[in-house]
Every structure is written in structure tokens, then in C-alpha cells.
């Protein structure tokens, strides 16, 4: 039987994925990744930050160990702390320095789960690796295709858009043909200790934290003015890196007799002036765009055609948007949407689909409404 090593995170999804592989007859082992220094964090000078509690990653390891024992599967524990810092967290910080909103989960899949993990698994004799992602893979004789997961609400192909063909060729997704309720049911029927464990949120491998406080450990805050779309100062912000395009909560403004009684949203950032631009109304035209430019283009299997209609997502769980692309120099593409799209954000990924097939993606750089470049 083929040997498969699965990334066991200590959550219910990877736990059920492990059981599915075992039931299907694979020679299965599990591996828990420790990608963050769980004992402490460090401030921007490299000193320990005593205000942060122990990372829940250690608790996740204990859960993973319980599941591996329950299923009688060998469990390896590996450290990718250095690799994570150099390839994922440094990228994360650099993007925030630029005033952008990065997606560390995408880079974690690219560099850690399907690169560092894959290499370690191959050292241990694995022919395939497996993850508890809600995605599917179709392996043909000469190529492999990444397909959406059956559960539309949980499909995670968005986060897998930067995988290379050689990475996908080695990958299995045992629960991609299941819905979340079905996964929970399997876990309960198998009496797995993670059956009722809540889904993880927060920064990939770092967990749930006070985001502002966490970033302050690494990037000095630079407060500035909060201005309306026509330039009127109406407050102050704590630092542009703490806000994302389309954000509503946490702005601390409202109730002024000078303005209409509508909610305020982040509509842009002026990096040169260190100003946060805000406007009223969820459907503000300042949050709309109809094309963007994206770089670091990655196609997983086949290269799409110019001017053919595909669909795209500009953020996780977004409804598919019809688009067509044009290739530009320096590994960039122009993505033209059919109609308008709200809060397309630099630093995030635009992920293209041809039906159920995830073609790949790119990182959003510039956002436009007709010929006007948005201050995003």
C-alpha cells in the first residue's frame, strides 16, 4: 500500500482525514508541525514579550497526540519555526509595512505545508502527503488538477492557489468530498476526542490574539489623521497597518450632526500623508472597482486563455465574479470584472476558476475604477 503522511493539526478536519486514509487502506503516518515559538513572542528589539500567553499550538499538539493514539497511527513532531519565519512571517510583516493586507495562509501552504512538510515526509518514505483541506485533487497520468471542495461554504482552494504542479502531484485531500456536518458526524461516530472541538481562527499557526497588540510587538505604530473621501479630518487612526479596505468595526467615529446617520467604512489609505480615508455607506462608490493588476502569477496546471470568461474570488468565501484576463510583462495580469466588485484589496489574492477547477492565482497590486487608481 502507498505510504501517506498527513498533517495532523489537532483539529477535527485533519483528524477525520486521518481516519479516512486509514479506512481506505493506505499505510498512514501523521506529522504535527510546530511553526511558531510557542513559549514566547518577541518585540521589535528581539526582547521577550512577557505579556503574551503560551500559544495554543501546544494544546493542539496534545489533541493531535490523542487522535493519533485513538487511531493507532504513528505521530511525528517537526519544527519549521525558522522556515515559517523566513518565508511566511517576514512576508506578512513586509506587506503590512507597505500598508497592504497579506494572506499568510496562502504563503503557509506554498512554503510550509506543501514544501517543507513535503520534503520531510519524503525523507520518511512517503509517496504522498495529505491535509485536512476542503479541496479535491484529480490525478491524471501526466498532470493533476485542483478542484473545489464539495462544501461550498468551506471550500479552501482559495488558499491553495499558489501550489505548483509538482506539489499538487504529491497531495491528497481526504475530506474534500465531504461537508462539514458529515465530517463532524464521522468524528462523533468514531469517538474521536476532537469531534466537538471548535474550528481554529486567527493568524495561520499563531492563533487567536489581540491583533493590534500582536503587530505592535514587531512593527511600530504610526498614528495619523482619519479623513473623509473629500479630505476633511474627522478623527485619528492608530496606524494604517491595523485597517483593511471595507472595514467597518473599530473606527471610533459616528454620531456627528455634520454627517448623515450611516455607517463609516475604510475607503482607502494615503501612505505618503499617513492618512486613513473613510466614507459612509456599505455600497460607497469609493469601495467599488472594475479591474485590477496582480503580480506573482501562478498557474497550477493549465495556463488560462486571454479574453476568455472565467470566474474569480478576491477573498475567501466570496461569491464568484465573472472575469477575463490579459497578460502583462513581469509575470503580471490585468483582471477585468464583469460589473463592479467591492473592496478588492492589495495584498490579497485573486484566484481564478474554470468551473470547478482552480486555475491558480496572483497577488493584487493595483485596483482601478475605470481609469482612476484607487488609494488602496
Amino acid at each position: 500500500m502507498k505510504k501517506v503522511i498527513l498533517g495532523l493539526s489537532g483539529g477535527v478536519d485533519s483528524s477525520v482525514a486521518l481516519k479516512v486514509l486509514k479506512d481506505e487502506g493506505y499505510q498512514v503516518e501523521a506529522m504535527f508541525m510546530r511553526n511558531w515559538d510557542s513559549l514566547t513572542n518577541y518585540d521589535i528589539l528581539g526582547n521577550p514579550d512577557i505579556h503574551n500567553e503560551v500559544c495554543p499550538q501546544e494544546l493542539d499538539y496534545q489533541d493531535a497526540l490523542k487522535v493519533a493514539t485513538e487511531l493507532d497511527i504513528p505521530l511525528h513532531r517537526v519544527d519549521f519555526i525558522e522556515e515559517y519565519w523566513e518565508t511566511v512571517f517576514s512576508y506578512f510583516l513586509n506587506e503590512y509595512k507597505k500598508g497592504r493586507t497579506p494572506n499568510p495562509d496562502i504563503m503557509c501552504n506554498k512554503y510550509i505545508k506543501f514544501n517543507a512538510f513535503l520534503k520531510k515526509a519524503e525523507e520518511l518514505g512517503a509517496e504522498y502527503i495529505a491535509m485536512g483541506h476542503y479541496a479535491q485533487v484529480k490525478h491524471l497520468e501526466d498532470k493533476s488538477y485542483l478542484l473545489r471542495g464539495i462544501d461550498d461554504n468551506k471550500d479552501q482552494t482559495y488558499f491553495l492557489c499558489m501550489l505548483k504542479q509538482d506539489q499538487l502531484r504529491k497531495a491528497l485531500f481526504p475530506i474534500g468530498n465531504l461537508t462539514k456536518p458529515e465530517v463532524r458526524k464521522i468524528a462523533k461516530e468514531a469517538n474521536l476526542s476532537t469531534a466537538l472541538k471548535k474550528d481554529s481562527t486567527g493568524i495561520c499557526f499563531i492563533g487567536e490574539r489581540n491583533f493590534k497588540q500582536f503587530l505592535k510587538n514587531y512593527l511600530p505604530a504610526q498614528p495619523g489623521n482619519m479623513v473623509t473621501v473629500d479630505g476633511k479630518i474627522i478623527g485619528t487612526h492608530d496606524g494604517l497597518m491595523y485597517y483593511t479596505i471595507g472595514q467597518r468595526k473599530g473606527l471610533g467615529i459616528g454620531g456627528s450632526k455634520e454627517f448623515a446617520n450611516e455607517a463609516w467604512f475604510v475607503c482607502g489609505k494615503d501612505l505618503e500623508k499617513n492618512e486613513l480615508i473613510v466614507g459612509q455607506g456599505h455600497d460607497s462608490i469609493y469601495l467599488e472597482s472594475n479591474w485590477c493588476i496582480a503580480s506573482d502569477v501562478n498557474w497550477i496546471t493549465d495556463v488560462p486563455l486571454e479574453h476568455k470568461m472565467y470566474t474569480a474570488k478576491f477573498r475567501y468565501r466570496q461569491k464568484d465574479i465573472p472575469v477575463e484576463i490579459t497578460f502583462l510583462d513581469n509575470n503580471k495580469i490585468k483582471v477585468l470584472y464583469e460589473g463592479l466588485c467591492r473592496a478588492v484589496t492589495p495584498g490579497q489574492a485573486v484566484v481564478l476558476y474554470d468551473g470547478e477547477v482552480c486555475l491558480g492565482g496572483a497577488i493584487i497590486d493595483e485596483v482601478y475604477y475605470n481609469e482612476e487608481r484607487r488609494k488602496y
Side-chain angles (χ1 to χ4, degrees):
M1 302 305 295
K2 293 184 182 297
K3 182 174 180 179
V4 181
I5 295 183
L6 176 134
L8 188 59
S9 67
V12 66
D13 294 333
S14 61
S15 299
V16 171
L18 189 65
K19 174 175 168 45
V20 170
L21 287 173
K22 182 179 180 180
D23 292 346
E24 290 179 349
Y26 287 98
Q27 180 187 343
V28 189
E29 296 180 11
M31 193 153 65
F32 180 87
M33 290 172 277
R34 181 173 175 263
N35 297 335
W36 188 253
D37 187 344
S38 60
L39 299 179
T40 186
N41 291 309
Y42 298 89
D43 63 20
I44 58 177
L45 299 177
N47 301 313
D49 175 23
I50 62 174
H51 300 293
N52 281 306
E53 59 186 25
V54 174
C55 179
Q57 201 172 185
E58 292 305 304
L59 300 177
D60 289 338
Y61 173 69
Q62 295 302 320
D63 289 337
L65 188 58
K66 289 178 186 177
V67 169
T69 302
E70 291 162 356
L71 293 173
D72 193 25
I73 299 292
L75 176 64
H76 307 273
R77 176 170 172 152
V78 292
D79 282 2
F80 296 133
I81 295 173
E82 183 176 350
E83 293 91 337
Y84 184 86
W85 183 279
E86 291 179 353
T87 60
V88 180
F89 196 64
S90 293
Y91 169 85
F92 175 83
L93 294 180
N94 287 334
E95 287 290 275
Y96 273 110
K97 287 179 184 177
K98 299 174 185 176
R100 290 155 55 111
T101 305
N103 195 312
D105 296 273
I106 291 175
M107 296 303 160
C108 187
N109 283 325
K110 177 180 179 179
Y111 292 113
I112 304 299
K113 293 180 180 178
F114 293 87
N115 187 23
F117 183 100
L118 174 59
K119 291 176 181 177
K120 184 63 177 179
E122 289 179 328
E123 289 177 9
L124 296 171
E127 296 178 69
Y128 289 97
I129 62 170
M131 298 290 170
H133 288 81
Y134 286 87
Q136 300 183 90
V137 60
K138 183 176 182 179
H139 291 302
L140 302 181
E141 185 175 344
D142 60 340
K143 62 179 67 173
S144 298
Y145 289 90
L146 180 64
L147 308 177
R148 302 181 200 249
I150 291 294
D151 191 333
D152 288 338
N153 189 50
K154 298 294 292 184
D155 170 51
Q156 292 175 299
T157 51
Y158 180 89
F159 300 113
L160 300 169
C161 67
M162 288 296 172
L163 294 190
K164 300 294 185 183
Q165 177 68 191
D166 59 348
Q167 295 172 311
L168 188 62
R169 291 290 281 172
K170 295 283 187 176
L172 299 175
F173 301 106
I175 64 169
N177 63 335
L178 300 173
T179 65
K180 186 70 177 196
E182 289 173 332
V183 167
R184 291 283 185 191
K185 182 180 179 182
I186 292 172
K188 291 176 183 177
E189 291 176 347
N191 293 316
L192 297 181
S193 54
T194 55
L196 299 178
K197 186 174 180 179
K198 72 173 186 176
D199 292 345
S200 61
T201 58
I203 305 170
C204 180
F205 283 108
I206 298 174
E208 300 177 33
R209 298 174 184 269
N210 181 310
F211 185 67
K212 282 189 178 182
Q213 185 61 50
F214 179 75
L215 270 186
K216 284 180 181 177
N217 294 325
Y218 303 94
L219 298 175
Q222 297 181 347
N225 289 326
M226 190 180 296
V227 303
T228 64
V229 291
D230 54 5
K232 185 166 186 175
I233 298 174
I234 60 169
T236 59
H237 65 78
D238 298 327
L240 295 180
M241 61 185 173
Y242 301 134
Y243 304 87
T244 189
I245 303 303
Q247 178 179 331
R248 174 181 177 179
K249 295 181 179 180
L251 300 184
I253 53 177
S256 172
K257 295 180 180 179
E258 188 176 352
F259 300 97
N261 189 27
E262 286 188 272
W264 290 88
F265 294 86
V266 174
C267 290
K269 301 177 182 181
D270 190 322
L271 298 182
E272 292 183 1
K273 296 180 180 179
N274 191 29
E275 291 180 341
L276 186 72
I277 304 170
V278 296
Q280 288 185 290
H282 178 275
D283 299 320
S284 169
I285 189 60
Y286 295 99
L287 286 172
E288 304 284 2
S289 62
N290 51 16
W291 62 284
C292 69
I293 292 176
S295 62
D296 297 326
V297 180
N298 177 69
W299 304 124
I300 299 171
T301 307
D302 299 327
V303 178
L305 302 175
E306 286 190 310
H307 309 305
K308 176 183 175 180
M309 193 62 70
Y310 297 98
T311 63
K313 292 182 184 293
F314 296 94
R315 57 183 177 274
Y316 180 47
R317 286 180 175 164
Q318 180 188 33
K319 181 180 178 181
D320 279 34
I321 305 295
V323 301
E324 59 181 74
I325 65 169
T326 303
F327 292 99
L328 306 176
D329 294 335
N330 301 316
N331 197 29
K332 294 185 178 183
I333 54 173
K334 175 181 178 180
V335 184
L336 180 65
Y337 339 142
E338 185 180 80
L340 299 177
C341 189
R342 182 181 184 276
V344 176
T345 304
Q348 293 287 292
V350 50
V351 181
L352 267 71
Y353 295 86
D354 187 1
E356 294 302 300
V357 177
C358 178
L359 298 172
I363 304 301
I364 301 164
D365 281 337
E366 302 172 13
V367 181
Y368 291 84
Y369 176 70
N370 295 334
E371 298 306 314
E372 178 187 348
R373 181 177 176 181
R374 295 304 197 193
K375 290 185 177 180
Y376 292 174

